Amino acid sequence: MNQIIIFLIIPVFAAFITPAGSLINKKFANILNVVLYLFAIVMGLLIYPSLVGSTQVIAMGGWKAPFGISIVASPLAMGAGIAMYFIGFLIAINNINKERPANYNLLFNLFIFSSVVMVFTGDLFNLFVMMEIGVITTMALSASTNMKAGTRGSFKYVVNSGLVSMLILASIGLMYSALGTLNIAQIAAGPAMNSYLAFIVGAGILMALFFEAELFPFNAWVPDVYRGSHSSFGAALAGIAGFAGMLVMARVLFTLMNPSSSFQLARESLNNLLFGISIASILVGEIAALNAKDLKKLLAYSSIGQMGQVALAFAVAGSLQLSGNMVNTSPAIYAGLFLLIVHTLAKPMLLFITGFFIKATGKAKWEDMKGIGRVYPFMAVSFIIGGLTLMGIPLFAGFWGKIELVRALFAGNVLAKVGLGVLLFATVIEGVYFMKIGHSLFEGKTKIKPKRNGDFAAVLVPVVILLVCLMVFAFFPGVVNTHLRSFADSLFNSGGYVESVLTGVGL
Amino acid sequence: MNLIVITIGISLILGLISLVAFRKLKRVQWILFFINALFQVYVAIRLFINRGTVETLPLPFTVLDIGGLELVFKTTELGLIFFVASIVMTVLFAIFSLSYNDKKHASGISPLWMLLMAGNAGIFFSADWLSFLISWELMGWTAYFIISHGKEKSAKAGMYYFTLSLIGTATLIAAIFIGFRGTGSLLIADSLTYFKSLLRTNHSLVMTAVILLTVTFFTKSAVFPFYMWPSKAHAEAPDDFSAFLSGVMIKYGVFGMIAFILPLFTMSYPGPTIGNLPLFLQKILGAKSIPIYLMVIGWIGAFTAVWGSLLAIRENDMKKMMAHSTVSNIGFIFAALSINTKFGIAAALFHTFNHMLFKSGIFLTLASVKHRTGEREMHKLGGLAYRMPLTFFVFLLSIIAAAGIPPMNGFASKWLIFQAMFDRNLLLLAIPAFFASTAAFMYLYRGLHTIFLGQLSPRFYKVKEAPILQLVPMVIIILLVFVVGLFPGLILQPINKVLASLNIATIGGDMSSIVGRTTTINSTHIGLIFIGAFALVMVLYIIGKKRKLIKDPLDRYTSGETPKDWGMKPEQYHYGMHFYEPFENITKKLLNGFSMDKFFMGFALEFKRLSSAIQRWFNSPQLGLMILVVLMVAILVIGRVL
């Protein structure tokens, strides 16, 4: 079997043997996850070099595109896959001491599987199926710790997901009736749809992705789900699901809806829709976080804002592409990818620390955690560093992404200028709430006694790994810089994608 | 040898090491801080000898599509003089802090302060926007954590500062990218040249960038409308750091204005000037060639000076009072630099450094008083001159300097400010400046009288003089104040070099005299006359009738009745309470009625309410939205079908 397929189905394999294994030992799945994700990361890193410059396309079941499902293993997809397994690996370490029912681990594996495949797939219906798997697993996992808030969040999630599933299904149906294909590459190269139809179809697909990427207005579930689930699952939502959703959105926006695709007539209005949504997300997320009391919820709001910033980068890239400003398009996508990867690393770190603090204090509000930094200084300082990273303060990783984004916004149209104002405003608000909490961790005295046990180590290890990653990103962005730039170029160059998928297929 | 890069790097690394490794050994942290400050002095001397050093630090990655970007550090005359002054003060503060941070007062801020010193060097030497931005933000957030230093009340004050600081950085980023978009280069010089070249063709773009930068520097320097943060942050910060805040940090805005903004508004400025205004306004506002922008800055500065003085007069908390006084002086400096002639900039720089000296002296004495008594509110103090004579003496001489009385340094710079105003016919502007300068007497005297003079409270009978390590920096500062007061040339001659490097004519004078617009003064002579007068009075005092100290009870104001019976505490009938009550009554309506503080607080409150509202939306079931979306889709589809 193809290596890449093995890479993709590792979590499915884990999900299958988890129930049997947990009959033998309750912690079987915990160990299994750590081992398998590590295996997947290594495997991905070994495959990655062979993909650079030569995207592999796998026709599932031997059905060539556009008739079958094709898995497009581009460097971008593989890199994203490795990143998601990496976060999964850290989450598995974080969970290693916890006794979870077998179902939890089973569902979690399926959740990761759906997110990874979502990025790899070259077929819209397959994308839809994977989204549905992700939705069902999230629904179950979201009520994993706090029944009250979790059920609430889970219910909202179901309702929202039902709505967007309906939208995307309707869009796919409409598109299939209009074009006769659901292959991304073929649509990307295809004849123009009627502008009205293209807008409805495009908006339907985008809205499903807004939901997945925690963007306004389909994100009402976000705070409650973060609040109700384990903080490690919150990390998964921010670091895996949101990440995957955002990358798929980039793929949809720059490949599926490129200016010469079937969506060409509606591209501008779709782009403006994305602009509006991203600006609204930034404003809503950041302002809500300003006064939030519950730390997990606050991080959830902050995620909404951060995702909005990434979406803003993609929106401005789209508008630059449309206006023919090709020089700045790729840097704008790069800015988005950089901010996305920084968020993918920083937010799980913050959530791990938060989970640990909540356990140590027994309280969920940040005001009740005062002084905990005196007991656990490393954790609290890491929290502050995470905050500074997300704020985009120089000497921290987020800064490099933020200045690229500012630069792209300066090159953009009027909407981009509005976005610029909102972005700078968001930076101020982020600074206020992150630093307020960061300092409060060192305020006064606490009665908590420090414990250096296995639970502490299970949090410390992933936090240290993520912190090292963030520091590397901050001081040597060159490590990822070139890769991200080539990803941005490959996203921007939709012709290359089409060619690699449809080569040798006579149309 | 890359001295600037090395000193920034050492400050950063040493700061991190002391943060991580010496967390429990506060004394070691402070010694490291002192060593770092001494090293920076060495760097300053070396840079002073090798003028015009340019250092680059190539970045090994691509930023903003510029491959091989370099961080450039350059010693300009302006940056150098600011750096030297800030470092000299920091060494003195470091000595003070060594003694101040005993077991009871340890604040643990020194590692962060060391990081801040890296930012400090970076700000003054950056020749490209990237390193300037890095330094500026480094200074911003480290200062927040220092001001807050683990106390809830301080954290609120720190947040007030930090919010303004963040606003300032946001506008700074916007301004930087306006320049970057046009030039494709991150060098500050390139941006300034670009702005200069656009003055005629795209004036509004340049003004946008200028106003954005102005907001940055106004927030940092606490000029109106951002004048409230010092009274919170300077007051709540650790006492030894307050001196740095008031002495050094608040001057970054002055540096920024002179380095980045004023070069655009030279004599050849083509934009709107006072000459474009109606004739009657021209008559009263000043010389025709003054740009409107500078006129506005000048008036804002003068207003800040007046407002700061008025706020200081009614303040009962001694640190807050001196923070307001700093704001008032900053207003003076901004009014002076807005004149943008040789006199204007020289006066602004001169007053900046003078203020650095005497305000540091004042804040250090206040820190010592608080160190010994633990009190900050003036009506709880009094009579400390008997117990802390040397501290009292330093405070006395510092406030004489602050009031602008010879033979201290404040006199010459205030004189020069007024000379600069007369030079450009800014007579109307001189009125508020005069007013603020006079009002300064009131609050400075209040500080002297209520803290050091009057009756000593029984609580403080056992108070001792400040420790020797605290007295040393104070005495050095006061000697510097004296020397500069007698020989203003010591500072004015380096300032002349700055002026020459900015292509502005230099001001005349030698070590002891200054050539002004209307007249020439010889500070040494004036100073000696004053010293002679003091000496004469002193002689009369000594040979006069012997005075004896009567230790009378504190209840003498109450004709022997015991105020405790009415539930009153000694503080409440202390003479420091409502010291200037009639004056306070006059200004009360004005100061309470027009308060930027209230405005910003209201703003913050509205944001919090908005935040709660959005959170409520997230908590609600959102049926309405969903119905709306379904309806929207339905309408779109139906609309198409029909």
Side-chain angles (χ1 to χ4, degrees), chain A residues 374-396:
Chain A
R374 305 267 178 214
V375 185
Y376 298 108
F378 176 77
M379 295 279 183
V381 169
S382 302
F383 190 95
I384 293 173
I385 291 177
L388 288 167
T389 303
L390 290 178
M391 281 158 67
I393 292 282
L395 299 181
F396 297 94

PDB file of all heavy atoms in Angstrom, chain A residues 374-396:
ATOM      1  N   ARG A 374       3.792  32.271  41.279  1.00  0.00           N
ATOM      2  CA  ARG A 374       4.850  32.156  42.283  1.00  0.00           C
ATOM      3  C   ARG A 374       5.130  30.683  42.583  1.00  0.00           C
ATOM      4  O   ARG A 374       6.209  30.343  43.021  1.00  0.00           O
ATOM      5  CB  ARG A 374       4.429  32.842  43.576  1.00  0.00           C
ATOM      6  CG  ARG A 374       4.016  34.286  43.385  1.00  0.00           C
ATOM      7  CD  ARG A 374       5.182  35.218  43.606  1.00  0.00           C
ATOM      8  NE  ARG A 374       4.767  36.592  43.367  1.00  0.00           N
ATOM      9  CZ  ARG A 374       5.563  37.517  42.853  1.00  0.00           C
ATOM     10  NH1 ARG A 374       6.801  37.224  42.517  1.00  0.00           N
ATOM     11  NH2 ARG A 374       5.122  38.738  42.657  1.00  0.00           N
ATOM     12  N   VAL A 375       4.125  29.857  42.358  1.00  0.00           N
ATOM     13  CA  VAL A 375       4.284  28.433  42.641  1.00  0.00           C
ATOM     14  C   VAL A 375       4.818  27.705  41.412  1.00  0.00           C
ATOM     15  O   VAL A 375       5.695  26.848  41.508  1.00  0.00           O
ATOM     16  CB  VAL A 375       2.935  27.832  43.083  1.00  0.00           C
ATOM     17  CG1 VAL A 375       3.133  26.388  43.504  1.00  0.00           C
ATOM     18  CG2 VAL A 375       2.347  28.641  44.216  1.00  0.00           C
ATOM     19  N   TYR A 376       4.264  28.044  40.283  1.00  0.00           N
ATOM     20  CA  TYR A 376       4.699  27.417  39.032  1.00  0.00           C
ATOM     21  C   TYR A 376       5.235  28.491  38.086  1.00  0.00           C
ATOM     22  O   TYR A 376       4.569  28.853  37.110  1.00  0.00           O
ATOM     23  CB  TYR A 376       3.540  26.681  38.362  1.00  0.00           C
ATOM     24  CG  TYR A 376       2.983  25.552  39.191  1.00  0.00           C
ATOM     25  CD1 TYR A 376       1.743  25.661  39.799  1.00  0.00           C
ATOM     26  CD2 TYR A 376       3.704  24.374  39.354  1.00  0.00           C
ATOM     27  CE1 TYR A 376       1.226  24.624  40.563  1.00  0.00           C
ATOM     28  CE2 TYR A 376       3.190  23.337  40.117  1.00  0.00           C
ATOM     29  CZ  TYR A 376       1.955  23.468  40.714  1.00  0.00           C
ATOM     30  OH  TYR A 376       1.458  22.447  41.472  1.00  0.00           O
ATOM     31  N   PRO A 377       6.397  29.034  38.371  1.00  0.00           N
ATOM     32  CA  PRO A 377       6.869  30.173  37.569  1.00  0.00           C
ATOM     33  C   PRO A 377       7.073  29.842  36.096  1.00  0.00           C
ATOM     34  O   PRO A 377       6.746  30.644  35.230  1.00  0.00           O
ATOM     35  CB  PRO A 377       8.181  30.569  38.241  1.00  0.00           C
ATOM     36  CG  PRO A 377       8.563  29.444  39.100  1.00  0.00           C
ATOM     37  CD  PRO A 377       7.336  28.687  39.451  1.00  0.00           C
ATOM     38  N   PHE A 378       7.562  28.651  35.828  1.00  0.00           N
ATOM     39  CA  PHE A 378       7.817  28.339  34.425  1.00  0.00           C
ATOM     40  C   PHE A 378       6.530  28.352  33.613  1.00  0.00           C
ATOM     41  O   PHE A 378       6.467  28.914  32.520  1.00  0.00           O
ATOM     42  CB  PHE A 378       8.503  26.974  34.303  1.00  0.00           C
ATOM     43  CG  PHE A 378       8.713  26.557  32.887  1.00  0.00           C
ATOM     44  CD1 PHE A 378       9.742  27.112  32.152  1.00  0.00           C
ATOM     45  CD2 PHE A 378       7.857  25.665  32.276  1.00  0.00           C
ATOM     46  CE1 PHE A 378       9.911  26.765  30.829  1.00  0.00           C
ATOM     47  CE2 PHE A 378       8.026  25.317  30.958  1.00  0.00           C
ATOM     48  CZ  PHE A 378       9.068  25.862  30.236  1.00  0.00           C
ATOM     49  N   MET A 379       5.498  27.733  34.186  1.00  0.00           N
ATOM     50  CA  MET A 379       4.215  27.677  33.474  1.00  0.00           C
ATOM     51  C   MET A 379       3.673  29.087  33.232  1.00  0.00           C
ATOM     52  O   MET A 379       3.204  29.415  32.148  1.00  0.00           O
ATOM     53  CB  MET A 379       3.193  26.916  34.314  1.00  0.00           C
ATOM     54  CG  MET A 379       3.536  25.484  34.522  1.00  0.00           C
ATOM     55  SD  MET A 379       3.063  24.533  33.095  1.00  0.00           S
ATOM     56  CE  MET A 379       3.485  22.911  33.651  1.00  0.00           C
ATOM     57  N   ALA A 380       3.742  29.921  34.285  1.00  0.00           N
ATOM     58  CA  ALA A 380       3.165  31.255  34.161  1.00  0.00           C
ATOM     59  C   ALA A 380       3.950  32.090  33.147  1.00  0.00           C
ATOM     60  O   ALA A 380       3.367  32.812  32.337  1.00  0.00           O
ATOM     61  CB  ALA A 380       3.150  31.943  35.518  1.00  0.00           C
ATOM     62  N   VAL A 381       5.272  31.954  33.187  1.00  0.00           N
ATOM     63  CA  VAL A 381       6.069  32.712  32.213  1.00  0.00           C
ATOM     64  C   VAL A 381       5.779  32.206  30.804  1.00  0.00           C
ATOM     65  O   VAL A 381       5.669  32.997  29.860  1.00  0.00           O
ATOM     66  CB  VAL A 381       7.574  32.608  32.563  1.00  0.00           C
ATOM     67  CG1 VAL A 381       8.416  33.139  31.428  1.00  0.00           C
ATOM     68  CG2 VAL A 381       7.875  33.376  33.822  1.00  0.00           C
ATOM     69  N   SER A 382       5.606  30.892  30.667  1.00  0.00           N
ATOM     70  CA  SER A 382       5.257  30.368  29.346  1.00  0.00           C
ATOM     71  C   SER A 382       3.921  30.927  28.886  1.00  0.00           C
ATOM     72  O   SER A 382       3.731  31.212  27.699  1.00  0.00           O
ATOM     73  CB  SER A 382       5.167  28.844  29.381  1.00  0.00           C
ATOM     74  OG  SER A 382       6.374  28.307  29.809  1.00  0.00           O
ATOM     75  N   PHE A 383       3.003  31.072  29.837  1.00  0.00           N
ATOM     76  CA  PHE A 383       1.705  31.648  29.479  1.00  0.00           C
ATOM     77  C   PHE A 383       1.891  33.063  28.944  1.00  0.00           C
ATOM     78  O   PHE A 383       1.318  33.438  27.920  1.00  0.00           O
ATOM     79  CB  PHE A 383       0.792  31.673  30.710  1.00  0.00           C
ATOM     80  CG  PHE A 383      -0.630  32.018  30.399  1.00  0.00           C
ATOM     81  CD1 PHE A 383      -1.562  31.018  30.192  1.00  0.00           C
ATOM     82  CD2 PHE A 383      -1.035  33.339  30.295  1.00  0.00           C
ATOM     83  CE1 PHE A 383      -2.872  31.332  29.889  1.00  0.00           C
ATOM     84  CE2 PHE A 383      -2.341  33.659  29.981  1.00  0.00           C
ATOM     85  CZ  PHE A 383      -3.260  32.644  29.781  1.00  0.00           C
ATOM     86  N   ILE A 384       2.730  33.834  29.636  1.00  0.00           N
ATOM     87  CA  ILE A 384       2.968  35.213  29.194  1.00  0.00           C
ATOM     88  C   ILE A 384       3.624  35.206  27.809  1.00  0.00           C
ATOM     89  O   ILE A 384       3.251  35.986  26.929  1.00  0.00           O
ATOM     90  CB  ILE A 384       3.854  35.957  30.208  1.00  0.00           C
ATOM     91  CG1 ILE A 384       3.080  36.146  31.512  1.00  0.00           C
ATOM     92  CG2 ILE A 384       4.292  37.301  29.666  1.00  0.00           C
ATOM     93  CD1 ILE A 384       3.886  36.722  32.633  1.00  0.00           C
ATOM     94  N   ILE A 385       4.572  34.283  27.622  1.00  0.00           N
ATOM     95  CA  ILE A 385       5.242  34.239  26.317  1.00  0.00           C
ATOM     96  C   ILE A 385       4.237  33.869  25.230  1.00  0.00           C
ATOM     97  O   ILE A 385       4.238  34.458  24.140  1.00  0.00           O
ATOM     98  CB  ILE A 385       6.418  33.245  26.362  1.00  0.00           C
ATOM     99  CG1 ILE A 385       7.514  33.803  27.271  1.00  0.00           C
ATOM    100  CG2 ILE A 385       6.961  32.980  24.958  1.00  0.00           C
ATOM    101  CD1 ILE A 385       8.690  32.885  27.459  1.00  0.00           C
ATOM    102  N   GLY A 386       3.346  32.924  25.557  1.00  0.00           N
ATOM    103  CA  GLY A 386       2.304  32.581  24.592  1.00  0.00           C
ATOM    104  C   GLY A 386       1.455  33.794  24.248  1.00  0.00           C
ATOM    105  O   GLY A 386       1.145  34.045  23.077  1.00  0.00           O
ATOM    106  N   GLY A 387       1.117  34.569  25.273  1.00  0.00           N
ATOM    107  CA  GLY A 387       0.323  35.768  25.043  1.00  0.00           C
ATOM    108  C   GLY A 387       1.063  36.773  24.185  1.00  0.00           C
ATOM    109  O   GLY A 387       0.516  37.310  23.212  1.00  0.00           O
ATOM    110  N   LEU A 388       2.323  36.989  24.494  1.00  0.00           N
ATOM    111  CA  LEU A 388       3.113  37.954  23.721  1.00  0.00           C
ATOM    112  C   LEU A 388       3.251  37.478  22.271  1.00  0.00           C
ATOM    113  O   LEU A 388       3.248  38.277  21.338  1.00  0.00           O
ATOM    114  CB  LEU A 388       4.502  38.114  24.345  1.00  0.00           C
ATOM    115  CG  LEU A 388       4.546  38.866  25.678  1.00  0.00           C
ATOM    116  CD1 LEU A 388       5.892  38.692  26.340  1.00  0.00           C
ATOM    117  CD2 LEU A 388       4.276  40.342  25.470  1.00  0.00           C
ATOM    118  N   THR A 389       3.346  36.159  22.100  1.00  0.00           N
ATOM    119  CA  THR A 389       3.443  35.616  20.743  1.00  0.00           C
ATOM    120  C   THR A 389       2.183  35.919  19.956  1.00  0.00           C
ATOM    121  O   THR A 389       2.244  36.383  18.816  1.00  0.00           O
ATOM    122  CB  THR A 389       3.664  34.099  20.818  1.00  0.00           C
ATOM    123  OG1 THR A 389       4.822  33.852  21.584  1.00  0.00           O
ATOM    124  CG2 THR A 389       3.810  33.508  19.449  1.00  0.00           C
ATOM    125  N   LEU A 390       1.035  35.653  20.585  1.00  0.00           N
ATOM    126  CA  LEU A 390      -0.212  35.879  19.855  1.00  0.00           C
ATOM    127  C   LEU A 390      -0.452  37.359  19.609  1.00  0.00           C
ATOM    128  O   LEU A 390      -1.088  37.743  18.629  1.00  0.00           O
ATOM    129  CB  LEU A 390      -1.386  35.280  20.620  1.00  0.00           C
ATOM    130  CG  LEU A 390      -1.414  33.749  20.647  1.00  0.00           C
ATOM    131  CD1 LEU A 390      -2.589  33.260  21.460  1.00  0.00           C
ATOM    132  CD2 LEU A 390      -1.483  33.185  19.246  1.00  0.00           C
ATOM    133  N   MET A 391       0.050  38.213  20.519  1.00  0.00           N
ATOM    134  CA  MET A 391      -0.110  39.655  20.312  1.00  0.00           C
ATOM    135  C   MET A 391       0.732  40.152  19.153  1.00  0.00           C
ATOM    136  O   MET A 391       0.506  41.240  18.643  1.00  0.00           O
ATOM    137  CB  MET A 391       0.358  40.405  21.562  1.00  0.00           C
ATOM    138  CG  MET A 391      -0.599  40.436  22.699  1.00  0.00           C
ATOM    139  SD  MET A 391       0.317  40.748  24.223  1.00  0.00           S
ATOM    140  CE  MET A 391       0.877  42.416  23.956  1.00  0.00           C
ATOM    141  N   GLY A 392       1.761  39.381  18.792  1.00  0.00           N
ATOM    142  CA  GLY A 392       2.634  39.841  17.723  1.00  0.00           C
ATOM    143  C   GLY A 392       3.633  40.879  18.186  1.00  0.00           C
ATOM    144  O   GLY A 392       3.918  41.854  17.492  1.00  0.00           O
ATOM    145  N   ILE A 393       4.164  40.678  19.392  1.00  0.00           N
ATOM    146  CA  ILE A 393       5.182  41.590  19.928  1.00  0.00           C
ATOM    147  C   ILE A 393       6.532  41.163  19.353  1.00  0.00           C
ATOM    148  O   ILE A 393       6.806  39.971  19.248  1.00  0.00           O
ATOM    149  CB  ILE A 393       5.187  41.490  21.460  1.00  0.00           C
ATOM    150  CG1 ILE A 393       3.895  42.050  22.034  1.00  0.00           C
ATOM    151  CG2 ILE A 393       6.381  42.174  22.072  1.00  0.00           C
ATOM    152  CD1 ILE A 393       3.818  43.537  22.083  1.00  0.00           C
ATOM    153  N   PRO A 394       7.365  42.115  18.972  1.00  0.00           N
ATOM    154  CA  PRO A 394       8.677  41.749  18.440  1.00  0.00           C
ATOM    155  C   PRO A 394       9.473  40.903  19.427  1.00  0.00           C
ATOM    156  O   PRO A 394       9.247  41.010  20.633  1.00  0.00           O
ATOM    157  CB  PRO A 394       9.384  43.088  18.239  1.00  0.00           C
ATOM    158  CG  PRO A 394       8.346  44.101  18.258  1.00  0.00           C
ATOM    159  CD  PRO A 394       7.156  43.556  18.935  1.00  0.00           C
ATOM    160  N   LEU A 395      10.378  40.119  18.898  1.00  0.00           N
ATOM    161  CA  LEU A 395      11.170  39.133  19.625  1.00  0.00           C
ATOM    162  C   LEU A 395      10.359  37.886  19.934  1.00  0.00           C
ATOM    163  O   LEU A 395      10.851  36.955  20.534  1.00  0.00           O
ATOM    164  CB  LEU A 395      11.758  39.665  20.931  1.00  0.00           C
ATOM    165  CG  LEU A 395      12.730  40.843  20.818  1.00  0.00           C
ATOM    166  CD1 LEU A 395      13.228  41.238  22.194  1.00  0.00           C
ATOM    167  CD2 LEU A 395      13.910  40.482  19.940  1.00  0.00           C
ATOM    168  N   PHE A 396       9.090  37.864  19.498  1.00  0.00           N
ATOM    169  CA  PHE A 396       8.298  36.652  19.627  1.00  0.00           C
ATOM    170  C   PHE A 396       7.778  36.289  18.237  1.00  0.00           C
ATOM    171  O   PHE A 396       7.766  37.125  17.335  1.00  0.00           O
ATOM    172  CB  PHE A 396       7.158  36.844  20.623  1.00  0.00           C
ATOM    173  CG  PHE A 396       7.660  37.122  22.005  1.00  0.00           C
ATOM    174  CD1 PHE A 396       7.810  38.420  22.447  1.00  0.00           C
ATOM    175  CD2 PHE A 396       8.052  36.089  22.831  1.00  0.00           C
ATOM    176  CE1 PHE A 396       8.313  38.685  23.709  1.00  0.00           C
ATOM    177  CE2 PHE A 396       8.562  36.344  24.086  1.00  0.00           C
ATOM    178  CZ  PHE A 396       8.692  37.636  24.532  1.00  0.00           C
TER     179      PHE A 396
END
